[in-house]
Amino acid sequence: MTDITMIRAAASRLAGHARRTPLLSSPFLDEIAGRRVFVKPECLQHTGSFKYRGARSAVSALEPETRAHGVIAFSSGNHAQGVALAARQFGVPSVIIMPSDAPRMKIDNTRALGAEVVLYDRATEDRDAIGAALSSERGLTLIKPYDEPQVIAGQGSIGLEIAEDAAALGIDRADVLACCGGGGLTSGVALALEADAPGLRARPCEPEGFDDATRSLAAGQIMRNTQTSGGLCDAIVTPQPGNITFPIMQRLCGPGLVVSDDEALHTMALAFARLKLVAEPGGAVALAAALFRRDQIDGDAVFVTISGGNVDADVFRDALARFA
């Protein structure tokens, strides 16, 4: 299971490969949120998402002989691109199973990074079964998108960086809001904070209709979403929290925060106007929670992730047209 030793080892392997993203702030966003807001823009990470960290961590942890056979992953796009790039950097093949309704940009980018893309229908086909068949047939190693210890460890490197930056700012107590799908980012950050900044508390942030982590934490057991596709925030649409990630979140995280699609779009426009960042809807939900759920957050400072910026042009234009 993932622990702080594994996270530190992953961070060491990522050094010189993953970008150390900065903390950004804006007095305009502080005013809306009613507190200081510090934004960790993982939309500036390689492949436009934090997912590169976990993918590179997992691929780099494989034994060279195993890695040489290639890797396989399933993803709506961000994990796909991260695994495709990591595999290319190690010179090994990659196969990515993607839902047919994933944003076209993510599908095209994954192919451009050298991966073989296999599309499936979320509503009628089982991606796990497809992945198992291909893995067995070709000897590929599955890199799961969130319920994988080395992936969680790679995402935990974000928590190490936030802990260092918070200490430099003299902040020893605050919520750290993470965009949450299956919980890889949230649980990895929570483990890192437990070790290096115990006064900082990770909290999952989700879109309405796909708030399985929030409901699971409230219920004390894993709760499944009724819908498994169709949400605007495709990057963080998952059926339920992971079997590995949920116990970590249950032990370490505060209550979840839930925002609407319109609030995510509004936040995309604000991030562009005030921080000059391009955020995708799912990548904007943590900042949206900081801005529009201010009464559910304590303290005079909050840290948030913008977890990805891989948005189709028409969705971004819509956000700017409606809220800029």
Side-chain angles (χ1 to χ4, degrees):
M1 299 295 288
T2 309
D3 59 16
I4 190 59
T5 301
M6 189 181 289
I7 292 172
R8 296 198 202 285
S12 179
R13 295 195 307 278
L14 289 171
H17 301 285
R19 293 174 178 144
R20 175 162 184 153
T21 50
L23 279 184
L24 304 179
S25 62
S26 160
F28 299 99
L29 298 182
D30 292 351
E31 184 175 357
I32 296 171
R35 56 179 51 85
R36 292 180 294 167
V37 180
F38 296 99
V39 178
K40 182 76 164 166
E42 284 292 303
C43 50
L44 302 179
Q45 189 54 259
H46 296 301
T47 71
S49 164
F50 78 98
K51 290 284 192 177
Y52 172 74
R53 294 179 186 254
R56 172 89 193 192
S57 169
V59 173
S60 64
L62 293 173
E63 292 294 332
E65 193 173 301
T66 300
R67 188 168 55 227
H69 291 290
V71 296
I72 186 169
F74 36 80
S75 165
S76 64
N78 287 336
H79 180 61
Q81 293 173 82
V83 171
L85 177 57
R88 189 177 77 173
Q89 290 171 337
F90 280 97
V92 301
S94 63
V95 177
I96 310 296
I97 303 166
M98 301 185 70
S100 55
D101 63 349
R104 177 53 52 183
M105 185 181 87
K106 294 182 179 180
I107 295 172
D108 292 344
N109 285 353
T110 303
R111 287 188 172 127
L113 288 167
E116 175 188 344
V117 174
V118 177
L119 299 177
Y120 76 100
D121 186 323
R122 290 194 215 230
T124 62
E125 294 183 283
D126 183 346
R127 70 179 186 181
D128 294 321
I130 296 169
L134 286 170
S135 299
S136 175
E137 178 184 324
R138 305 190 193 180
L140 305 170
T141 298
L142 175 64
I143 308 293
K144 294 181 181 179
Y146 50 86
D147 226 20
E148 159 57 49
Q150 288 292 358
V151 168
I152 296 169
Q155 321 307 23
S157 64
I158 295 172
L160 297 180
E161 293 173 14
I162 290 174
E164 286 185 8
D165 291 340
L169 290 165
I171 299 172
D172 60 8
R173 189 161 297 277
D175 282 345
V176 178
L177 310 188
C179 305
C180 186
L185 172 61
T186 309
S187 59
V189 167
L191 287 167
L193 297 178
E194 178 189 33
D196 285 11
L200 273 56
R201 177 179 66 162
R203 297 182 66 182
C205 301
E206 300 171 292
E208 290 177 350
F210 300 93
D211 56 346
D212 47 294
T214 299
R215 290 184 292 108
S216 296
L217 289 174
Q221 62 182 6
I222 290 178
M223 304 292 287
R224 189 175 176 86
N225 286 323
T226 304
Q227 285 180 268
T228 56
S229 64
L232 176 70
C233 301
D234 65 282
I236 54 174
V237 170
T238 53
Q240 62 187 51
N243 293 324
I244 297 175
T245 61
F246 178 66
I248 298 170
M249 291 192 287
Q250 188 176 32
R251 183 171 68 84
L252 296 176
C253 290
L257 297 162
V258 182
V259 300
S260 68
D261 284 353
D262 277 355
E263 287 166 334
L265 289 171
H266 191 174
T267 299
M268 290 166 61
L270 288 168
F272 182 70
R274 302 308 185 187
L275 299 172
K276 312 310 173 191
L277 295 174
V278 174
E280 63 190 278
V285 298
L287 179 56
L291 299 179
F292 300 116
R293 298 293 179 272
R294 54 186 287 179
D295 60 333
Q296 297 178 38
I297 301 167
D298 295 325
D300 63 1
V302 65
F303 296 87
V304 307
T305 61
I306 292 183
S307 58
N310 295 311
V311 57
D312 280 348
D314 57 343
V315 176
F316 193 62
R317 280 194 295 265
D318 181 47
L320 297 183
R322 292 177 58 189
F323 297 106

